[in-house]
């Protein structure tokens, strides 16, 4: 069985979408893949309850308990590696990762970013897209490399930017698409790699 470890910091709605897709799409049988664990850097991440309700082991590693980013990432790697991951999925994990972390999971580390990369890497993507006068926005699933929000693009979805949109309204529209493309990209990762 191939193991997926999902990292979250907050609501975990992308994680939930992946867990539901794995259940409904019978990934265990079809892809020999399962969500083996959900790891959060925040004990109050709402997504942890969802994972527990679905019988998925969870772990919390508070970044504030570590003196440096390097120390935290080393402990995070040890925690993740307990679950022998074939794929590590960043799903709203709000930490900048060290080069050592990224190198350790090269080729098996995915992220979703709420813009049509390579446009609007970094934070505050929705307001930046509105301010630039974009007619379209969207989300991108990509391999994670040392450079922030770069790396091979695996999936994208496009939504319109509507007149009068707020960043919040646009974010909500984009998020509905994230919930479709992220599970699909994760399943695609396994069908390509191990099919
Ligand atoms: C998503 O918009 C994701 O693209 C961004 O953070 C948000 C996380 O939402 N990186 P959730 O925790 O999956 O609900």
């Amino acid at each position: 069985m191939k193991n997926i470890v999902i990292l979250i910091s907050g609501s975990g709605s992308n994680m939930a979408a992946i867990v539901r897709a794995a259940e409904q799409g019978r990934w265990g049988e079809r892809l020999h893949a399962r969500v083996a664990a959900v790891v959060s850097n925040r004990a109050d991440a709402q997504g942890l309850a969802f994972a527990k309700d679905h019988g998925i082991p969870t772990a919390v590693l508070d970044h504030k308990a570590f003196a440096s980013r390097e120390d935290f990432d080393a402990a995070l790697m040890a925690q993740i590696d307990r679950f022998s991951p074939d794929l590590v999925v960043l799903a709203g994990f709000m930490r900048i990762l060290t080069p050592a972390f990224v190198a350790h999971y090269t080729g098996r580390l995915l992220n979703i970013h709420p813009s049509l990369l390579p446009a609007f890497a970094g934070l505050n993507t929705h307001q930046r897209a509105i301010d630039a006068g974009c007619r379209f926005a969207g989300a991108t699933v990509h391999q994670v490399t040392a450079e922030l929000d770069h790396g091979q693009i695996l999936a994208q979805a496009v939504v319109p930017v509507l007149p009068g949109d707020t960043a919040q309204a646009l974010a909500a529209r984009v998020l509905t698409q994230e919930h479709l493309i992220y599970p699909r990209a994760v399943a695609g990762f396994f069908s390509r790699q191990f099919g």
Side-chain angles (χ1 to χ4, degrees), residues 7-16 47 90-94 111-115 125-126 139-140 149 171 174-175 178-179 182:
L7 271 51
I8 65 169
S9 295
S11 60
S13 68
N14 278 293
M15 174 274 296
L90 305 175
F93 187 64
M94 301 306 283
N111 183 42
I112 191 159
H113 183 75
S115 79
T125 55
H126 305 296
T140 304
D149 296 330
V174 169
L175 193 60
E178 295 183 35
H179 297 162
Y182 214 177

Side-chain angles (χ1 to χ4, degrees), residues 115-188:
S115 79
L116 292 172
L117 290 174
F120 307 120
L123 294 175
N124 207 16
T125 55
H126 305 296
Q127 191 59 53
R128 286 160 67 205
I130 291 168
D131 291 348
C134 293
R135 299 301 197 260
F136 296 96
T140 304
V141 179
H142 63 98
Q143 298 259 13
V144 176
T145 57
E147 200 179 345
L148 184 72
D149 296 330
H150 280 65
Q152 181 69 38
I153 290 172
L154 302 182
Q156 284 186 313
V158 178
V159 303
V161 180
L162 300 177
D165 253 351
T166 59
Q168 206 184 6
L170 180 56
R173 193 175 309 123
V174 169
L175 193 60
T176 61
Q177 296 304 307
E178 295 183 35
H179 297 162
L180 299 178
I181 64 170
Y182 214 177
R184 219 178 279 153
V186 172

Side-chain angles (χ1 to χ4, degrees), residues 8-90:
I8 65 169
S9 295
S11 60
S13 68
N14 278 293
M15 174 274 296
I18 292 167
V19 168
R20 287 203 185 93
E23 289 171 355
Q24 288 162 12
R26 305 192 329 277
W27 286 6
E29 280 167 57
R30 285 184 35 245
L31 301 173
H32 306 288
R34 63 166 174 208
V35 179
V38 171
V39 179
S40 173
N41 64 314
R42 297 180 56 122
D44 60 355
Q46 305 95 292
L48 289 169
F50 177 93
K52 283 181 195 146
D53 285 350
H54 287 252
I56 297 167
T58 60
V60 174
L61 200 64
D62 181 359
H63 60 274
K64 293 193 289 304
F66 295 85
S68 69
R69 214 178 267 289
E70 285 71 22
D71 289 352
F72 172 67
D73 275 11
L76 183 61
M77 283 187 257
Q79 182 67 256
I80 293 169
D81 288 349
R82 284 176 45 217
F83 300 98
S84 308
D86 296 281
L87 182 66
V88 176
V89 171
L90 305 175

